[in-house]
Amino acid sequence: MLVQVTWSSSGFFDDEDAAATARPEPEEFRAPAWMQAPDDELPVRLLLDRVIARNDAAAVVLREVRAFSVGFEVHLDWVLRRRGEDAWEWRRLAESATAGGWSREPEGGDSSLRFGLGLADGSKVRKAEFGFAMPGGGSPEPPTAMPRHGGSSGGDRSVSGSTGLWVWSPEPLRGELRLVLEWTQVGIPICSVPLDGDAIAGATLGVRPLWDEAE
């Protein structure tokens, strides 16, 4: 037998509202400077559109560098096209390419698209680790490079996507820098292209705030 219970129009959810109000505010998370570019700045863009590497199956293009007050972003586009692979081989290759550089071959070698930054003195910028963002993780010493993975799309004939690096360096990195690239899975050996550190440093002078706090 169905029993109908009538509740008053107010007060039914008071206990739930009280519990929600009593919950402490979650701790605010702010991405540290080494993790990503400032989101309150308009960077200065240095357009390049330079082909870094290319063969019959793949191409990687250096699109631009975006200068910020405490570092710069390197933006890359890549294209991979099908060249005689059967359906399953192509799917495996395409899925590996669109995994954002995190895929590894079963035997343990990293054959996906990877890249880094070399400095004018011959040293290289180390990549930042997400562990630094954990409580007690501290902060890495600049300069550091954090991979930034963009979107990708494609089909049965080709796939394409974007990727890059956020280079955190409050002090300008001057001289000739080298963007170093390797993609062994598609037959692209290690190679590099120069970046003008002085030009990037000069571009930071034109960085503008996204919001004018005085308004």
Side-chain angles (χ1 to χ4, degrees):
M1 181 177 66
L2 178 65
V3 178
Q4 183 175 1
V5 180
T6 303
W7 299 91
S8 62
S9 59
S10 62
F12 182 81
F13 293 107
D14 283 355
D15 57 337
E16 296 179 21
D17 292 340
T21 304
R23 284 183 300 198
E25 283 290 318
E27 184 176 347
E28 181 180 285
F29 173 76
R30 301 187 68 177
W34 56 263
M35 183 178 286
Q36 66 179 40
D39 58 7
D40 57 355
E41 294 182 356
L42 286 173
V44 175
R45 300 168 61 198
L46 305 176
L47 300 179
L48 299 169
D49 287 338
R50 186 184 308 166
V51 177
I52 305 177
R54 176 173 50 200
N55 60 20
D56 191 50
V60 182
V61 180
L62 172 58
R63 288 297 186 189
E64 65 182 21
V65 171
R66 296 180 183 178
F68 292 83
S69 61
V70 292
F72 59 91
E73 282 184 334
V74 178
H75 287 249
L76 302 170
D77 284 348
W78 56 265
V79 180
L80 178 64
R81 59 181 182 171
R82 189 172 177 178
R83 279 293 179 264
E85 297 87 359
D86 64 33
W88 288 109
E89 288 175 334
W90 170 249
R91 178 173 296 183
R92 177 175 174 272
L93 182 60
E95 288 178 352
S96 176
T98 57
W102 299 109
S103 124
R104 290 185 179 272
E105 292 297 295
E107 56 269 24
D110 189 350
S111 62
S112 58
L113 173 60
R114 55 182 179 174
F115 42 87
L117 188 71
L119 300 178
D121 63 3
S123 63
K124 69 177 183 178
V125 176
R126 72 183 182 118
K127 290 185 179 178
E129 300 291 342
F130 280 105
F132 284 113
M134 303 300 290
S139 178
E141 290 293 324
T144 60
M146 172 63 75
R148 51 171 305 279
H149 303 296
S152 59
S153 62
D156 288 337
R157 304 311 308 169
S158 66
V159 291
S160 60
S162 60
T163 187
L165 281 177
W166 160 241
V167 180
W168 175 54
S169 180
E171 293 296 324
L173 299 177
R174 302 216 174 249
E176 183 180 275
L177 312 177
R178 306 291 303 188
L179 181 66
V180 183
L181 169 82
E182 183 180 45
W183 197 358
T184 60
Q185 190 175 34
V186 296
I188 294 178
I190 191 167
C191 56
S192 67
V193 64
L195 295 176
D196 189 338
D198 293 333
I200 297 172
T204 62
L205 300 177
V207 175
R208 295 174 292 158
L210 188 55
W211 289 279
D212 186 351
E213 300 299 342
E215 292 181 351

